[in-house]
Amino acid sequence: MTTTTITAGPTDFETKLGMYRSQVALRQFEKRAYDLFLENLVKGTSHLSLGQEAIAAGFATAMKPTDWTYATYRGHAHTLARGVPMTPVLAELLGRSNGLMAGKGGSMHLTSVEHGVMGSYAIIGAHLPIACGAAWSAQYRGTDQVAVCFFGDGSTNIGAFHEALNFAAIWKLPVVFVCENNLWMEYTRTTEVTAVKHPAADRASAYGLESIIVDGNDADAVYDVAVTAIARARAGEGPSMIEAETYRHGGHSRADPGKYRPDSEVAEWLAKDPIPRYRARLLEAGATEEQLAAIEAEVAAEVEQATEEAKAGGIPGEDLLMKDVWADGGSSWRN
Amino acid sequence: MAQLTFREAIARGIAQEMRRDESVVFLGEDIGKAGGVFKGTVGLLDEFGPVRVRDTPISEQAILGAAMGAAMTGLRPIAEIMFADFFAVCWDIVVNEIAKSRYMTNGQMTFPLVIRSGNGGGLRFGAQHSQSVENWAMMIPGLKVVVPSNATDVIGLMAAAIRDPDPVIFLEAKALYATKMDVPDGEIVDTLGTAKVLRNGTDATIVSLGYMVPRALEAANELATVGIDCTVVDVRSLVPLDTQTILREVSATGRLFTVEENPRLCGWGGELSSIVSEEIFYDLDGPIVRITTPHIPLPAADALEDMAIPSVERIVTTITKSMNS
Ligand SMILES: Cc1ncc(C[n+]2csc(CCOP(=O)(O)OP(=O)(O)O)c2C)c(N)n1
Ligand SMILES: [Mg+2]
């Protein structure tokens, strides 16, 4: 088992700053999304990645624009990290016509093909085989694209997870599976219902893959394993499975306070918050307080602007309702 | 012209499209080296090689997930689900993923893929290998559903399904695999969403699908001997549904009989009855009658299976009784 402790990360400082900016953006965006949920402006549901930002930022930094992201319903961070602007994402959460999918998908299905965000999937495990298909297509067409597929610890107990791993392994597909192990399913601790301690890493060997565990709250460490796994995939050496240990600061979804979790556990993980950690590391490495404060202020302004633009978005019209069931743009099932 | 079985037509249809389009790939269990459990894909591995014709593990979710991921990134996959009953273990990928994703993403993605599967009874396989699932597929927004009844249509509709930019469920009646007919030489390309009038009559219109089409035709021939002259329509495509042809043919005779292999509840004939009642009610001269498999799992014993699936005899007696009452 490889446990990565050396935290090198991107070698150039600009990239490190970019990774910091990305994490701050994900954090501030989702805090705003939560406020808007409490104001009943975000309807339905929303699942936040607060506390898990280093994984999205680390991977997105290591990916090429032509690579593909497959995310879950907890997908705001992965979508934004690939460069999708805040306004359409927030507007989608608000159900507005300027939303990323004009309001037809909602928080759990964020997709931006233009940015390589090939969908956010809300049926546990379903997108692992789908990511295999994209990887197969890259392999078949001889492109160097890699599919990166994110999912939770609880998702390792569904059949599709195991089907996909075997499938990717036998076909040597350029796909990277990333388990964001935040210890919890919805309201149940994953280890209580799982036969092994490390839900993803301990299963990897069953499919001939290396067990890789990384500190998911350390963007540099995540970046490093991402670079290695993506390079392996690009070189035609097949899939990788990475278990990134992390924690969600809030509850599972909506306004869940997450009270089922012991206070001590929450406190322990809050102390490992990836963002202050990365901030301190950058300061140590020579960044100035002003430099970082400027990034934070820029992001805050971006969130303000996105909030205004999303709120100002139109209500989706009836024209959208019957649109795009079929490739011809329509929904007709008879003549 | 060459005599071709229904099963040979499958391979010919797929080969025709794989020759003209490099983006067409084919995956499924036992489809390559073995040539398919029903021998419907014999020769494809030899002609197109293992990169385009891929044997898979017994992983129906992975097969269909892979087809979906490949379709959304530029390929035109054909996936085989060996028996249509097995759709139940990968229905999530079909219904929640493939069928919904274009709509949910506001048209950002297209899914040009075909899922073909051996459907229905007649082979005494018992309830878990004999179910007719056309009604499952038909009720899902976002899926096209095609059910050919003869070898020529297999080729033409297969080509149309592969060229179609949307997901198509292509259901092959297992009981028809051994049937033969003269098939024209050269490329055959048909059109989805077109029903075919196979026989013209004046007294009643029998609308049928897949395995039930040859039975409907045979029943119509028998009915003619007792003075009931029937039109027979082969629906061929449940989605899109050629309601124009069907409504025209029902209006012309004033009577509609459906012959359906699927179990009774929510069979396609129920939807058709509703359309006919809403739109041409006053053209009807008598009740709409549905002849279906009863609402039971299909039994294995030949005697029992034969009682369950609409037979020529049951079609004849049902129509005779209804026409004479
Ligand atoms: C097939 C299926 N079963 C159950 C659910 C309900 N559900 C949604 S999220 C979730 C917990 C998933 O936990 P995990 O995989 O650890 O991801 P996390 O939410 O922690 O990111 C469950 C059970 C679902 N969406 N799909
Ligand atoms: Mg979890």
Side-chain angles (χ1 to χ4, degrees):
Chain A
M1 184 172 301
T2 316
T3 305
T4 310
T5 45
I6 310 150
T7 56
T11 45
D12 76 293
F13 205 66
E14 278 308 309
T15 309
K16 279 188 193 289
L17 285 178
M19 218 152 70
Y20 179 65
R21 189 184 205 285
S22 174
Q23 293 179 81
V24 171
L26 306 184
R27 174 69 52 95
Q28 292 198 19
F29 176 93
E30 286 209 305
K31 280 187 153 171
R32 176 57 52 89
Y34 187 68
D35 291 343
L36 295 174
F37 183 85
L38 295 181
E39 284 178 45
N40 200 27
L41 282 169
V42 174
K43 305 280 166 52
T45 190
S46 110
H47 304 73
L48 305 179
S49 299
L50 293 171
Q52 306 185 184
E53 295 91 342
I55 301 168
F59 265 93
T61 308
M63 290 165 78
K64 276 194 194 175
T66 46
D67 291 335
W68 295 304
T69 295
Y70 285 83
T72 70
Y73 50 88
R74 198 180 299 288
H76 307 162
H78 292 297
T79 302
L80 293 166
R82 292 302 307 279
V84 180
M86 285 184 184
T87 299
V89 177
L90 200 55
E92 186 65 29
L93 269 53
L94 267 58
R96 302 303 167 97
S97 59
N98 57 340
L100 196 55
M101 297 93 80
K104 292 174 82 170
S107 158
M108 296 203 281
H109 300 295
L110 297 176
T111 303
S112 181
V113 170
E114 188 194 338
H115 296 90
V117 181
M118 302 305 279
S120 304
Y121 298 81
I123 309 295
I124 294 295
H127 62 310
L128 280 83
I130 300 168
C132 287
W136 173 36
S137 148
Q139 184 186 61
Y140 180 80
R141 291 179 294 115
T143 72
D144 74 346
Q145 288 163 289
V146 174
V148 182
C149 180
F150 301 93
F151 51 91
D153 40 281
S155 306
T156 62
N157 288 324
I158 203 160
F161 167 90
H162 297 273
E163 288 194 16
L165 278 173
N166 182 59
F167 202 84
I170 53 167
W171 287 13
K172 277 198 150 190
L173 296 177
V175 56
V176 180
F177 298 107
V178 186
C179 175
E180 302 182 275
N181 184 359
N182 61 12
L183 308 184
W184 292 84
M185 298 149 56
E186 290 190 58
Y187 315 115
T188 301
R189 190 184 288 285
T190 294
T191 48
E192 282 176 18
V193 293
T194 305
V196 292
K197 184 166 171 236
H198 295 290
D202 289 349
R203 263 80 173 251
S205 64
Y207 303 102
L209 302 177
E210 196 188 344
S211 290
I212 302 170
I213 295 175
V214 65
D215 179 349
N217 280 17
D218 179 340
D220 284 333
V222 171
Y223 174 86
D224 285 345
V225 290
V227 165
T228 307
I230 291 168
R232 174 182 148 85
R234 249 193 255 296
E237 288 161 28
S240 297
M241 162 76 92
I242 291 160
E243 181 169 326
E245 296 183 310
T246 187
Y247 202 71
R248 55 169 152 80
H249 287 176
H252 169 69
S253 66
R254 297 166 58 90
D256 167 28
K259 285 293 177 216
Y260 40 88
R261 307 179 304 178
D263 291 344
S264 59
E265 181 180 287
V266 177
E268 178 198 330
W269 280 94
L270 281 174
K272 289 193 270 192
D273 186 336
I275 296 178
R277 247 173 108 185
Y278 205 67
R279 195 179 200 280
R281 188 177 302 156
L282 288 176
L283 288 172
E284 234 172 79
T288 64
E289 182 58 44
E290 295 72 47
Q291 220 174 356
L292 301 184
I295 288 174
E296 289 147 13
E298 267 169 44
V299 167
E302 203 184 324
V303 171
E304 280 316 319
Q305 192 187 341
T307 308
E308 292 318 309
E309 287 173 0
K311 281 182 173 171
I315 304 302
E318 213 178 326
D319 56 315
L320 284 171
L321 186 67
M322 304 303 285
K323 230 177 116 242
D324 277 322
V325 170
W326 307 125
D328 69 5
S331 58
S332 168
W333 53 269
R334 60 173 284 190
N335 58 11
Chain B
M1 280 290 190
Q3 272 252 318
L4 218 60
T5 59
F6 192 99
R7 76 174 87 246
E8 287 162 342
I10 307 283
R12 181 165 143 192
I14 294 173
Q16 174 186 301
E17 294 308 299
M18 289 187 80
R19 273 177 218 131
R20 61 174 278 281
D21 185 351
E22 280 262 317
S23 68
V24 179
V25 289
F26 180 30
L27 79 168
E29 294 160 21
D30 300 311
I31 59 153
K33 283 199 196 95
V37 290
F38 299 110
K39 297 285 174 239
T41 59
V42 171
L44 294 175
L45 176 68
D46 286 344
E47 181 172 353
F48 300 103
V51 174
R52 294 183 72 188
V53 177
R54 298 201 79 161
D55 281 320
T56 67
I58 307 163
S59 302
E60 278 76 9
Q61 295 186 69
I63 292 167
L64 296 191
M68 177 180 175
M72 68 164 76
T73 53
L75 299 189
R76 287 183 175 269
I78 306 165
E80 175 176 315
I81 295 299
M82 193 185 280
F83 284 77
D85 312 69
F86 308 165
F87 270 118
V89 304
C90 52
W91 204 226
D92 167 54
I93 305 283
V94 179
V95 173
N96 284 315
E97 318 301 338
I98 292 171
K100 292 175 183 171
S101 289
R102 178 174 176 80
Y103 185 84
M104 289 199 301
T105 62
N106 196 30
Q108 289 184 58
M109 294 172 168
T110 49
F111 299 96
L113 61 86
V114 177
I115 305 173
R116 40 172 297 269
S117 191
N119 188 50
L123 301 186
R124 290 60 167 112
F125 284 165
Q128 293 184 344
H129 288 72
S130 302
Q131 175 138 14
S132 274
V133 305
E134 56 271 23
N135 51 343
W136 299 6
M138 187 190 188
M139 67 175 72
I140 309 301
L143 299 179
K144 293 182 177 174
V145 186
V146 174
V147 189
S149 71
N150 62 71
T152 305
D153 282 4
V154 163
I155 299 170
L157 291 173
M158 178 75 78
I162 292 168
R163 295 181 192 193
D164 196 86
D166 293 309
V168 179
I169 308 293
F170 193 92
L171 297 173
E172 300 158 8
K174 296 195 291 287
L176 295 179
Y177 277 133
T179 58
K180 273 188 196 153
M181 74 185 289
D182 282 330
V183 175
D185 298 327
E187 187 180 79
I188 306 176
V189 186
D190 211 321
T191 310
L192 301 188
T194 54
K196 250 193 195 161
V197 182
L198 300 181
R199 185 184 198 285
N200 280 298
T202 50
D203 300 325
T205 300
I206 308 174
V207 179
S208 58
L209 182 81
Y211 182 26
M212 296 297 97
V213 172
R215 292 189 177 190
L217 277 171
E218 205 183 320
N221 289 339
E222 276 192 34
L223 287 161
T225 66
V226 296
I228 301 172
D229 187 16
C230 293
T231 291
V232 175
V233 178
D234 180 352
V235 181
R236 306 199 315 151
S237 168
L238 289 174
V239 183
L241 186 63
D242 183 2
T243 52
Q244 276 181 22
T245 299
I246 297 168
L247 291 173
R248 185 189 69 220
E249 295 304 325
V250 175
S251 283
T253 64
R255 292 299 304 267
L256 168 61
F257 296 89
T258 67
V259 187
E260 307 164 47
E261 193 188 345
N262 48 217
R264 173 95 192 176
L265 298 191
C266 300
W268 55 266
E271 185 58 47
L272 198 58
S273 307
S274 137
I275 294 169
V276 166
S277 316
E278 284 179 33
E279 299 179 25
I280 55 164
F281 184 76
Y282 295 105
D283 293 347
L284 291 176
D285 300 326
I288 298 168
V289 178
R290 292 179 59 208
I291 302 161
T292 76
T293 295
H295 208 62
I296 53 170
L298 220 56
D302 45 3
L304 290 171
E305 194 184 42
D306 288 344
M307 287 175 222
I309 300 174
S311 61
V312 173
E313 192 193 345
R314 174 141 67 99
I315 300 167
V316 169
T317 43
T318 309
I319 294 177
T320 310
K321 218 169 114 190
S322 178
M323 293 298 287
N324 292 335
S325 65

